[in-house]
Amino acid sequence: MSTWDLSTVQHHVLICNGGSCLKKLGDETTLAIRDEISLQGAEHLIHTTRTRCNGRCEDACVVTVYPEGVWYKQMTPEAGRRLVREHLLEGKPLEEQMIYSYQDRFVPTGQGNVGISRRKVDKKS
């Protein structure tokens, strides 16, 4: 087993490979994302991890990007390639597939976000 040098990594991409996501091209999406990272020469900037179920089966295939904590739904190999180019390298999230972002505490409306809840935090001075 090798140990990755993560000192230059700017994004960690978690790609669900649970049962529902595998039925919705999870493996193909994983391979496309990794291939696009390689084609863009961005292996030192982006680290990927295959996960098991992330609990958003109705949104399969689910991909999550950190440090922003952006959750994407219905990812395909083509959308995965766009994710690498547009979100990870250009800083432009794929808003049409975004279901949640920790960074902005943003939940787009009308996009199947049932089950995701936000906690309102009261800031006390």
Side-chain angles (χ1 to χ4, degrees):
M1 180 175 268
S2 63
T3 301
W4 293 90
D5 175 10
L6 302 175
S7 63
T8 60
V9 170
Q10 296 177 4
H11 295 284
H12 187 189
V13 180
L14 305 173
I15 309 155
C16 185
N17 277 211
S20 295
C21 287
L22 285 177
K23 290 176 187 171
K24 299 281 185 146
L25 303 177
D27 187 52
E28 294 86 346
T29 300
T30 301
L31 296 174
I33 288 171
R34 290 177 172 174
D35 183 58
E36 191 65 29
I37 290 168
S38 181
L39 286 173
Q40 298 296 325
E43 298 95 334
H44 63 291
L45 299 174
I46 305 164
H47 181 73
T48 63
T49 302
R50 287 181 194 250
T51 69
R52 292 290 184 190
C53 182
N54 290 324
R56 298 292 306 163
C57 299
E58 68 272 13
D59 292 328
C61 170
V62 175
V63 174
T64 310
V65 175
Y66 284 96
E68 300 97 327
V70 174
W71 287 59
Y72 287 106
K73 67 175 182 170
Q74 301 168 349
M75 294 297 285
T76 62
E78 296 78 24
R81 290 182 181 281
R82 282 187 50 230
L83 173 81
V84 172
R85 292 189 307 270
E86 295 176 27
H87 179 156
L88 304 178
L89 297 177
E90 295 177 14
K92 301 175 194 168
L94 307 180
E95 294 198 21
E96 69 278 3
Q97 289 179 272
M98 195 160 91
I99 54 176
Y100 192 77
S101 170
Y102 292 139
Q103 187 175 28
D104 298 326
R105 301 288 191 242
F106 172 71
V107 179
T109 59
Q111 294 191 11
N113 53 15
V114 175
I116 293 179
S117 61
R118 295 185 301 165
R119 234 179 51 184
K120 185 174 181 178
V121 179
D122 294 320
K123 296 182 180 180
K124 297 181 181 181
S125 300

CSV table of all heavy atoms in Angstrom, one decimal, residues 67-101:
chain,number,residue,atom,x,y,z
A,67,PRO,N,-12.6,21.1,0.0
A,67,PRO,CA,-13.0,21.5,1.3
A,67,PRO,C,-14.4,22.2,1.3
A,67,PRO,O,-14.9,22.5,2.4
A,67,PRO,CB,-11.9,22.4,1.8
A,67,PRO,CG,-11.4,23.0,0.5
A,67,PRO,CD,-11.5,21.9,-0.5
A,68,GLU,N,-14.9,22.5,0.2
A,68,GLU,CA,-16.2,23.2,0.1
A,68,GLU,C,-17.4,22.4,0.7
A,68,GLU,O,-18.4,23.0,1.1
A,68,GLU,CB,-16.6,23.6,-1.3
A,68,GLU,CG,-15.5,24.5,-2.0
A,68,GLU,CD,-14.6,23.7,-2.8
A,68,GLU,OE1,-14.3,22.5,-2.5
A,68,GLU,OE2,-14.1,24.2,-3.8
A,69,GLY,N,-17.3,21.1,0.6
A,69,GLY,CA,-18.4,20.3,1.1
A,69,GLY,C,-19.6,20.4,0.1
A,69,GLY,O,-20.8,20.4,0.5
A,70,VAL,N,-19.3,20.4,-1.2
A,70,VAL,CA,-20.4,20.5,-2.2
A,70,VAL,C,-20.8,19.1,-2.5
A,70,VAL,O,-19.9,18.2,-2.9
A,70,VAL,CB,-19.9,21.2,-3.5
A,70,VAL,CG1,-20.9,21.2,-4.5
A,70,VAL,CG2,-19.6,22.7,-3.1
A,71,TRP,N,-22.1,18.8,-2.4
A,71,TRP,CA,-22.6,17.5,-2.8
A,71,TRP,C,-23.3,17.7,-4.1
A,71,TRP,O,-24.1,18.6,-4.3
A,71,TRP,CB,-23.7,17.1,-1.8
A,71,TRP,CG,-23.1,16.6,-0.5
A,71,TRP,CD1,-22.3,17.4,0.4
A,71,TRP,CD2,-23.2,15.4,0.2
A,71,TRP,NE1,-21.9,16.6,1.5
A,71,TRP,CE2,-22.5,15.4,1.4
A,71,TRP,CE3,-23.9,14.2,-0.2
A,71,TRP,CZ2,-22.4,14.3,2.2
A,71,TRP,CZ3,-23.8,13.1,0.7
A,71,TRP,CH2,-23.1,13.1,1.9
A,72,TYR,N,-23.0,16.7,-5.1
A,72,TYR,CA,-23.6,16.7,-6.4
A,72,TYR,C,-24.4,15.5,-6.6
A,72,TYR,O,-24.1,14.4,-6.1
A,72,TYR,CB,-22.5,16.7,-7.5
A,72,TYR,CG,-21.8,18.0,-7.6
A,72,TYR,CD1,-20.5,18.2,-7.1
A,72,TYR,CD2,-22.4,19.1,-8.2
A,72,TYR,CE1,-19.8,19.4,-7.3
A,72,TYR,CE2,-21.7,20.3,-8.4
A,72,TYR,CZ,-20.4,20.4,-7.9
A,72,TYR,OH,-19.8,21.6,-8.1
A,73,LYS,N,-25.5,15.6,-7.3
A,73,LYS,CA,-26.4,14.5,-7.6
A,73,LYS,C,-26.3,14.1,-9.1
A,73,LYS,O,-25.9,14.9,-9.9
A,73,LYS,CB,-27.9,14.9,-7.3
A,73,LYS,CG,-28.4,16.0,-8.2
A,73,LYS,CD,-29.9,16.3,-8.0
A,73,LYS,CE,-30.4,17.3,-9.0
A,73,LYS,NZ,-31.8,17.5,-8.9
A,74,GLN,N,-26.8,12.9,-9.4
A,74,GLN,CA,-27.0,12.4,-10.7
A,74,GLN,C,-25.7,12.7,-11.6
A,74,GLN,O,-25.8,13.1,-12.8
A,74,GLN,CB,-28.2,13.0,-11.4
A,74,GLN,CG,-29.5,12.7,-10.6
A,74,GLN,CD,-30.7,13.5,-11.0
A,74,GLN,OE1,-30.6,14.5,-11.7
A,74,GLN,NE2,-31.8,13.1,-10.5
A,75,MET,N,-24.6,12.4,-11.0
A,75,MET,CA,-23.3,12.5,-11.8
A,75,MET,C,-23.2,11.4,-12.8
A,75,MET,O,-23.5,10.3,-12.5
A,75,MET,CB,-22.2,12.6,-10.8
A,75,MET,CG,-22.2,13.9,-9.9
A,75,MET,SD,-22.0,15.4,-10.8
A,75,MET,CE,-20.3,15.4,-11.3
A,76,THR,N,-22.7,11.8,-13.9
A,76,THR,CA,-22.4,10.8,-15.0
A,76,THR,C,-20.9,11.0,-15.4
A,76,THR,O,-20.3,11.9,-14.9
A,76,THR,CB,-23.2,11.2,-16.3
A,76,THR,OG1,-22.9,12.5,-16.7
A,76,THR,CG2,-24.7,11.1,-16.0
A,77,PRO,N,-20.4,10.1,-16.2
A,77,PRO,CA,-19.0,10.3,-16.6
A,77,PRO,C,-18.8,11.7,-17.3
A,77,PRO,O,-17.8,12.4,-17.0
A,77,PRO,CB,-18.8,9.2,-17.7
A,77,PRO,CG,-19.7,8.1,-17.2
A,77,PRO,CD,-20.9,8.8,-16.7
A,78,GLU,N,-19.7,12.2,-18.1
A,78,GLU,CA,-19.6,13.5,-18.8
A,78,GLU,C,-19.6,14.6,-17.7
A,78,GLU,O,-18.8,15.5,-17.8
A,78,GLU,CB,-20.7,13.7,-19.8
A,78,GLU,CG,-20.6,12.7,-20.9
A,78,GLU,CD,-21.2,11.3,-20.6
A,78,GLU,OE1,-22.0,11.2,-19.7
A,78,GLU,OE2,-20.8,10.4,-21.3
A,79,ALA,N,-20.5,14.5,-16.8
A,79,ALA,CA,-20.6,15.5,-15.7
A,79,ALA,C,-19.3,15.5,-14.8
A,79,ALA,O,-18.9,16.5,-14.4
A,79,ALA,CB,-21.9,15.3,-14.9
A,80,GLY,N,-18.8,14.3,-14.6
A,80,GLY,CA,-17.6,14.1,-13.8
A,80,GLY,C,-16.4,14.8,-14.5
A,80,GLY,O,-15.6,15.5,-13.8
A,81,ARG,N,-16.3,14.7,-15.8
A,81,ARG,CA,-15.2,15.4,-16.5
A,81,ARG,C,-15.4,17.0,-16.4
A,81,ARG,O,-14.5,17.7,-16.2
A,81,ARG,CB,-15.2,15.0,-18.0
A,81,ARG,CG,-14.7,13.6,-18.1
A,81,ARG,CD,-14.6,13.2,-19.6
A,81,ARG,NE,-14.2,11.8,-19.7
A,81,ARG,CZ,-12.9,11.4,-19.6
A,81,ARG,NH1,-12.0,12.2,-19.4
A,81,ARG,NH2,-12.6,10.1,-19.8
A,82,ARG,N,-16.7,17.4,-16.5
A,82,ARG,CA,-17.0,18.9,-16.4
A,82,ARG,C,-16.6,19.3,-14.9
A,82,ARG,O,-16.1,20.4,-14.8
A,82,ARG,CB,-18.4,19.1,-16.6
A,82,ARG,CG,-18.8,19.2,-18.1
A,82,ARG,CD,-20.2,19.6,-18.4
A,82,ARG,NE,-20.5,20.9,-17.6
A,82,ARG,CZ,-21.6,21.1,-16.9
A,82,ARG,NH1,-22.5,20.1,-16.7
A,82,ARG,NH2,-21.8,22.2,-16.3
A,83,LEU,N,-16.9,18.5,-14.0
A,83,LEU,CA,-16.6,18.8,-12.6
A,83,LEU,C,-15.1,19.1,-12.4
A,83,LEU,O,-14.8,20.1,-11.8
A,83,LEU,CB,-17.0,17.6,-11.7
A,83,LEU,CG,-16.6,17.7,-10.2
A,83,LEU,CD1,-17.5,18.6,-9.5
A,83,LEU,CD2,-16.5,16.4,-9.6
A,84,VAL,N,-14.3,18.3,-13.0
A,84,VAL,CA,-12.8,18.5,-12.9
A,84,VAL,C,-12.5,19.8,-13.5
A,84,VAL,O,-11.8,20.6,-12.9
A,84,VAL,CB,-12.1,17.3,-13.5
A,84,VAL,CG1,-10.6,17.6,-13.6
A,84,VAL,CG2,-12.3,16.0,-12.8
A,85,ARG,N,-12.9,20.0,-14.8
A,85,ARG,CA,-12.5,21.2,-15.5
A,85,ARG,C,-13.1,22.5,-14.9
A,85,ARG,O,-12.4,23.5,-14.7
A,85,ARG,CB,-12.9,21.1,-17.0
A,85,ARG,CG,-12.1,20.0,-17.7
A,85,ARG,CD,-12.4,20.1,-19.2
A,85,ARG,NE,-13.8,20.1,-19.6
A,85,ARG,CZ,-14.5,18.9,-19.8
A,85,ARG,NH1,-13.9,17.8,-19.7
A,85,ARG,NH2,-15.8,19.0,-20.1
A,86,GLU,N,-14.4,22.5,-14.6
A,86,GLU,CA,-15.1,23.7,-14.2
A,86,GLU,C,-15.0,24.0,-12.7
A,86,GLU,O,-14.7,25.1,-12.3
A,86,GLU,CB,-16.6,23.6,-14.7
A,86,GLU,CG,-16.7,23.6,-16.2
A,86,GLU,CD,-18.1,23.5,-16.7
A,86,GLU,OE1,-19.0,23.9,-16.0
A,86,GLU,OE2,-18.3,22.9,-17.8
A,87,HIS,N,-15.4,23.0,-11.9
A,87,HIS,CA,-15.4,23.3,-10.5
A,87,HIS,C,-14.0,23.2,-9.9
A,87,HIS,O,-13.5,24.2,-9.3
A,87,HIS,CB,-16.3,22.3,-9.7
A,87,HIS,CG,-16.3,22.5,-8.2
A,87,HIS,ND1,-17.3,22.0,-7.5
A,87,HIS,CD2,-15.4,23.1,-7.4
A,87,HIS,CE1,-17.1,22.4,-6.2
A,87,HIS,NE2,-15.9,23.0,-6.1
A,88,LEU,N,-13.3,22.1,-10.1
A,88,LEU,CA,-12.0,21.9,-9.4
A,88,LEU,C,-10.9,22.8,-10.0
A,88,LEU,O,-10.0,23.2,-9.2
A,88,LEU,CB,-11.6,20.4,-9.5
A,88,LEU,CG,-12.7,19.5,-8.9
A,88,LEU,CD1,-12.3,18.0,-9.0
A,88,LEU,CD2,-13.0,19.8,-7.4
A,89,LEU,N,-10.9,23.0,-11.3
A,89,LEU,CA,-9.8,23.8,-11.8
A,89,LEU,C,-10.1,25.2,-12.1
A,89,LEU,O,-9.2,26.1,-12.1
A,89,LEU,CB,-9.3,23.1,-13.1
A,89,LEU,CG,-8.7,21.7,-12.9
A,89,LEU,CD1,-8.3,21.1,-14.3
A,89,LEU,CD2,-7.5,21.7,-12.0
A,90,GLU,N,-11.4,25.6,-12.3
A,90,GLU,CA,-11.8,26.9,-12.6
A,90,GLU,C,-12.6,27.6,-11.5
A,90,GLU,O,-12.9,28.8,-11.5
A,90,GLU,CB,-12.6,27.0,-13.9
A,90,GLU,CG,-11.8,26.6,-15.1
A,90,GLU,CD,-12.7,26.6,-16.4
A,90,GLU,OE1,-13.8,27.2,-16.4
A,90,GLU,OE2,-12.2,26.1,-17.4
A,91,GLY,N,-13.0,26.8,-10.5
A,91,GLY,CA,-13.7,27.3,-9.3
A,91,GLY,C,-15.2,27.6,-9.6
A,91,GLY,O,-15.8,28.5,-8.9
A,92,LYS,N,-15.8,27.0,-10.6
A,92,LYS,CA,-17.2,27.2,-11.0
A,92,LYS,C,-18.0,26.0,-10.7
A,92,LYS,O,-18.0,25.1,-11.6
A,92,LYS,CB,-17.3,27.6,-12.5
A,92,LYS,CG,-16.5,28.9,-12.9
A,92,LYS,CD,-16.6,29.1,-14.4
A,92,LYS,CE,-15.5,30.1,-14.8
A,92,LYS,NZ,-15.4,30.1,-16.3
A,93,PRO,N,-18.6,25.9,-9.6
A,93,PRO,CA,-19.4,24.7,-9.3
A,93,PRO,C,-20.5,24.4,-10.4
A,93,PRO,O,-21.0,25.3,-11.0
A,93,PRO,CB,-20.1,25.0,-7.9
A,93,PRO,CG,-19.2,26.0,-7.3
A,93,PRO,CD,-18.7,26.8,-8.5
A,94,LEU,N,-20.9,23.2,-10.5
A,94,LEU,CA,-21.9,22.7,-11.4
A,94,LEU,C,-23.3,22.9,-10.7
A,94,LEU,O,-23.8,22.0,-10.2
A,94,LEU,CB,-21.7,21.3,-11.8
A,94,LEU,CG,-20.4,20.9,-12.4
A,94,LEU,CD1,-20.4,19.4,-12.7
A,94,LEU,CD2,-20.0,21.7,-13.6
A,95,GLU,N,-23.8,24.1,-10.7
A,95,GLU,CA,-24.9,24.5,-10.0
A,95,GLU,C,-26.2,23.6,-10.3
A,95,GLU,O,-27.0,23.4,-9.4
A,95,GLU,CB,-25.2,26.0,-10.1
A,95,GLU,CG,-24.1,26.8,-9.4
A,95,GLU,CD,-24.5,28.2,-9.1
A,95,GLU,OE1,-25.7,28.5,-9.0
A,95,GLU,OE2,-23.5,29.0,-9.0
A,96,GLU,N,-26.3,23.2,-11.5
A,96,GLU,CA,-27.5,22.5,-11.9
A,96,GLU,C,-27.6,21.1,-11.2
A,96,GLU,O,-28.6,20.4,-11.1
A,96,GLU,CB,-27.7,22.3,-13.4
A,96,GLU,CG,-26.6,21.4,-14.1
A,96,GLU,CD,-25.3,22.1,-14.3
A,96,GLU,OE1,-25.1,23.3,-14.0
A,96,GLU,OE2,-24.4,21.4,-14.9
A,97,GLN,N,-26.4,20.6,-10.7
A,97,GLN,CA,-26.4,19.3,-10.1
A,97,GLN,C,-26.0,19.4,-8.6
A,97,GLN,O,-26.0,18.4,-7.9
A,97,GLN,CB,-25.4,18.4,-10.8
A,97,GLN,CG,-25.9,18.0,-12.2
A,97,GLN,CD,-25.0,17.2,-13.0
A,97,GLN,OE1,-24.1,17.7,-13.7
A,97,GLN,NE2,-25.1,15.9,-12.8
A,98,MET,N,-25.8,20.6,-8.1
A,98,MET,CA,-25.5,20.8,-6.7
A,98,MET,C,-26.7,20.6,-5.8
A,98,MET,O,-27.7,21.2,-6.1
A,98,MET,CB,-24.9,22.2,-6.6
A,98,MET,CG,-24.1,22.4,-5.3
A,98,MET,SD,-23.0,23.8,-5.4
A,98,MET,CE,-24.0,25.1,-4.9
A,99,ILE,N,-26.6,19.8,-4.7
A,99,ILE,CA,-27.7,19.7,-3.8
A,99,ILE,C,-27.3,20.3,-2.4
A,99,ILE,O,-28.3,20.5,-1.7
A,99,ILE,CB,-28.1,18.2,-3.7
A,99,ILE,CG1,-27.0,17.3,-3.3
A,99,ILE,CG2,-28.9,17.8,-4.9
A,99,ILE,CD1,-27.4,15.8,-3.0
A,100,TYR,N,-26.1,20.5,-2.2
A,100,TYR,CA,-25.7,21.1,-0.9
A,100,TYR,C,-24.3,21.6,-0.9
A,100,TYR,O,-23.4,21.0,-1.5
A,100,TYR,CB,-25.9,20.0,0.2
A,100,TYR,CG,-25.8,20.5,1.6
A,100,TYR,CD1,-26.9,21.2,2.2
A,100,TYR,CD2,-24.7,20.4,2.4
A,100,TYR,CE1,-26.8,21.7,3.5
A,100,TYR,CE2,-24.6,20.9,3.7
A,100,TYR,CZ,-25.7,21.5,4.2
A,100,TYR,OH,-25.6,22.0,5.5
A,101,SER,N,-24.0,22.6,-0.1
A,101,SER,CA,-22.7,23.1,0.1
A,101,SER,C,-22.5,23.6,1.5
A,101,SER,O,-23.2,24.4,2.0
A,101,SER,CB,-22.5,24.3,-0.9
A,101,SER,OG,-21.2,25.0,-0.5
